[in-house]
Amino acid sequence: MAPTLEYRDKIAVLTLGDDENRFSPDWLDAVNARLDEVEKDAHALITTGLGKFYSNGLDLDWLMANGERTQWYVGRVQELFSRVLTLPLPTVAAVNGHAFGAGSMLAIAHDYRVMRDDRGYFCFPEVDIHIPFTVGMAALIQAKLLPQTAVTAMTTGHRYGGHEALRAALVDDTAAETEVVNAAAARLQPILGKDAGTLGAIKSTMYADVTAALRAGQ
């Protein structure tokens, strides 16, 4: 299933898909098209998946078949992170299942995260799959995580379940599987209606070093 968009009043709910939701070039195109709509029509954004996965991150099969385009591909992925990080409206990742690697980075790029409480892992497995973080990816993670959490998450590949992720401040709340999106919407209600220009400018200033590193594509 391709990424789809629905609305709860002025809150846009972007469903990333119903499989592993890996970042294929076509998937990136579809997500960016939906975000174009969100920026025009919505007052807030929730992203989520269906079933077992929020997102398993990079499309490694595509990368292996298209190694000569690695730099182009990583640049596109990091541009998505930068876009979500500075989106001029409040954002919450409703982490319904596993979030691994770039999937976890996408969740981290949101303002807030709500994670399913009983199943699923939040994990940066790069150390175990021999893929070092780019400068931009490291900057994103370190800007959002507590310093010691970043050390553990980035250098050990530890898998955080929902409650442990909450204790480590990887996520801001946990909820039952059927309530993750509702909990994300409840978190957004008190902060709807902020001026988009002001909010976008604040985020761009807060994360200027991170977005510069992400957009450099290194």
Side-chain angles (χ1 to χ4, degrees):
M1 184 185 89
T4 60
L5 194 61
E6 62 178 328
Y7 286 87
R8 297 188 174 196
D9 294 323
K10 284 293 187 175
I11 298 175
V13 180
L14 173 57
T15 301
L16 302 175
D18 59 358
D19 52 19
E20 293 188 15
N21 306 328
R22 289 187 179 267
F23 294 16
S24 70
D26 287 344
W27 184 91
L28 290 167
D29 287 342
V31 168
N32 277 302
R34 300 292 85 77
L35 290 178
D36 290 343
E37 298 177 45
V38 168
E39 289 201 50
K40 287 189 291 186
D41 300 330
H43 290 176
L45 171 69
I46 295 168
T47 65
T48 194
L50 292 174
K52 188 177 179 180
F53 295 93
Y54 175 77
S55 172
N56 236 355
L58 299 183
D59 189 338
L60 300 179
D61 290 340
W62 187 92
L63 265 177
M64 289 179 64
N66 298 273
E68 75 284 356
R69 302 182 71 188
T70 297
Q71 187 169 357
W72 170 85
Y73 175 74
V74 170
R76 289 209 60 200
V77 169
Q78 295 194 164
E79 183 60 37
L80 175 62
F81 296 157
S82 179
R83 184 177 189 180
V84 173
L85 186 67
T86 58
L87 209 64
L89 41 79
T91 60
V92 182
V95 183
N96 58 291
H98 297 309
F100 274 72
S104 288
M105 294 175 212
L106 177 61
I108 284 291
H110 292 65
D111 299 330
Y112 304 101
R113 284 151 297 287
V114 177
M115 186 174 176
R116 179 176 171 176
D117 60 7
D118 62 334
R119 297 185 68 183
Y121 290 113
F122 203 106
C123 177
F124 300 98
E126 280 73 7
V127 69
D128 293 321
I129 59 176
H130 312 294
I131 300 179
F133 295 97
T134 66
V135 173
M137 290 173 179
L140 170 63
I141 297 167
Q142 290 175 278
K144 286 301 193 91
L145 300 190
L146 298 172
Q148 196 56 41
T149 299
V151 170
T152 301
M154 295 174 72
T155 67
T156 73
H158 182 70
R159 297 183 177 197
Y160 293 83
H163 294 297
E164 188 179 10
L166 181 61
R167 290 194 297 271
L170 276 162
V171 302
D172 301 281
D173 200 359
T174 59
E177 178 187 11
T178 56
E179 293 299 317
V180 171
V181 173
N182 290 335
R187 179 167 286 272
L188 286 168
Q189 286 298 331
I191 53 175
L192 293 177
K194 305 296 184 185
D195 178 74
T198 305
L199 184 57
I202 288 171
K203 288 187 184 183
S204 294
T205 300
M206 286 176 68
Y207 301 118
D209 291 343
V210 179
T211 56
L214 286 168
R215 287 171 178 162
Q218 302 297 318

